[in-house]
Amino acid sequence: MPAYGFHASHEQFPPGKLLRLVAAAERAGFTRAMCSDHFAPFGAEQGHSGFAWSWLGAALARTGLPCGVVNAPGQRYHPAVVAQAAATLAEMFPGRFWVALGSGQALNEHVTGEPWPTKPERNARLRECVDVIRALFAGECVTHRGRVVVDRAVLWSRPADPPPLYAAAVSEATARWAGSWADGLITINQSVDQVRRVVGAYREGGGTGPLLLQVHLSWADDEATALRIAHEQWRTAILGSDLGWELATPAEFAEATAYVRPEDMRAHVLVTADPGRHAQWLREYADLGFDEIHLHHVGRDQDRFLEIFGTRVLPELT
């Protein structure tokens, strides 16, 4: 049986409100949490993007929940800085922090002014970053000259046990590659068959670690409202990685999704006003062997979501 977590969407809420919400999620029965790590939201309708690492320290201190974050080292973040940040959280909150590493999106990384690499180049850069971070966790003095450059870096404050480095993967190809280096896998909801293939690819690639799933869903008191919310807040989810990873600004995302219809959202966000149907969908994903499933309600009324899912969905699942 998986543990169910609350996804804190920095794109949609100011960090102070998210801090209150993650505490409310714990009271509602969620036993895990995770957050995004964005420099910009996908769209102006979302309207926020707080600094994830500052927020994580506060969230871990305010709650008893294990927390994680999806991060892209190599451009906006130097891997030595990621290692230091992750080590600090893991030292303060033993066994309660994980970080998932991915190759990133231009939306967040273009701010450095550096050219945006191709996907193969980003993967190669990510692999270098993983090696650097692990060496720093092990207490080594790291000098590295490659796609990233590190000069005599040492982590002076390290946890007794380093946090796990999961891989963030959407495609089968990335998941299979991640199986060779990652301590676990986090992916997002797609069709059950496609998610099964992604999980299988990770295992085929040699991955033996935990499996985590982030589920984007939309719930409201009626079906039409749930669908409208999904379209207004999360229509950028319809963009596949070939395009969605390359767009650099919220304005570009708005242009790319201008002709997305509300009914198009159902393939990318779980949309229904029926809590029982949400529970059924989540059971189907749970049957694939996930250790954690993190729920992201894409709507603004998070308090109502926590109330309904805490009383009518989580009890059905746990």
Side-chain angles (χ1 to χ4, degrees), residues 11-199:
E11 303 95 314
Q12 295 178 283
F13 301 97
K17 182 171 184 177
L18 276 184
L19 192 58
R20 179 184 67 77
L21 289 171
V22 75
E26 183 177 35
R27 292 193 299 271
F30 288 86
T31 60
R32 302 287 190 277
M34 66 170 288
C35 74
S36 50
D37 183 1
H38 273 228
F39 194 85
F42 291 107
E45 302 89 348
Q46 296 170 351
H48 292 279
S49 208
F51 186 57
W53 293 87
S54 301
W55 183 87
L56 280 160
L60 285 159
R62 185 163 178 173
T63 73
L65 300 177
C67 294
V69 64
V70 180
N71 173 266
Q75 188 157 328
R76 183 170 46 120
Y77 291 101
H78 191 280
V81 174
V82 174
Q84 185 185 32
T88 295
L89 289 174
E91 194 280 334
M92 291 192 294
F93 306 103
R96 290 180 53 206
F97 176 70
W98 55 263
V99 58
L101 303 177
S103 61
Q105 295 176 279
L107 174 69
N108 304 306
E109 312 306 320
H110 78 93
V111 297
T112 65
E114 296 297 320
W116 183 236
T118 64
K119 175 62 171 173
E121 183 67 15
R122 298 200 308 273
N123 278 356
R125 181 174 68 182
L126 173 58
R127 191 66 181 85
E128 288 186 20
C129 289
V130 170
D131 291 341
V132 167
I133 293 169
R134 284 213 170 105
L136 289 168
F137 284 167
E140 298 177 21
C141 178
V142 178
T143 294
H144 178 82
R145 298 283 187 274
R147 293 171 177 84
V148 293
V149 176
V150 185
D151 178 42
R152 294 168 292 178
V154 176
L155 284 186
W156 291 90
S157 293
R158 293 182 290 116
D161 296 307
L165 300 180
Y166 299 152
V170 175
S171 70
E172 294 170 62
T174 300
R176 185 173 291 105
W177 169 70
S180 67
W181 62 263
D183 295 325
L185 176 77
I186 185 168
T187 189
I188 63 171
N189 64 287
Q190 304 179 73
S191 72
V192 172
D193 286 342
Q194 180 58 28
V195 173
R196 181 183 291 108
R197 287 191 287 269
V198 170
V199 169

Side-chain angles (χ1 to χ4, degrees), residues 1-2 4 213 281-290 293 317:
M1 181 186 300
Y4 287 89
L213 180 69
W281 279 326
L282 293 170
R283 277 194 294 269
E284 291 172 3
Y285 287 122
D287 288 343
L288 299 180
F290 283 98
I293 297 179
L317 299 169

Side-chain angles (χ1 to χ4, degrees), residues 167-278:
V170 175
S171 70
E172 294 170 62
T174 300
R176 185 173 291 105
W177 169 70
S180 67
W181 62 263
D183 295 325
L185 176 77
I186 185 168
T187 189
I188 63 171
N189 64 287
Q190 304 179 73
S191 72
V192 172
D193 286 342
Q194 180 58 28
V195 173
R196 181 183 291 108
R197 287 191 287 269
V198 170
V199 169
Y202 172 68
R203 296 302 191 204
E204 290 164 7
T208 59
L211 300 173
L212 288 73
L213 180 69
Q214 182 190 32
V215 174
H216 303 298
L217 62 91
S218 183
W219 172 87
D221 286 321
D222 63 86
E223 194 82 10
T225 302
L227 189 58
R228 175 180 57 77
I229 288 169
H231 182 256
E232 288 179 355
Q233 287 291 308
W234 217 250
R235 64 182 175 276
T236 54
I238 203 168
L239 300 176
S241 58
D242 290 343
L243 178 60
W245 278 213
E246 306 296 326
L247 301 178
T249 66
E252 291 179 8
F253 275 89
E255 183 177 358
T257 58
Y259 298 102
V260 174
R261 304 167 301 171
E263 55 266 33
D264 297 330
M265 297 307 303
R266 294 187 184 276
H268 306 275
V269 177
L270 305 183
V271 180
T272 182
D274 180 5
R277 183 67 179 110
H278 279 292

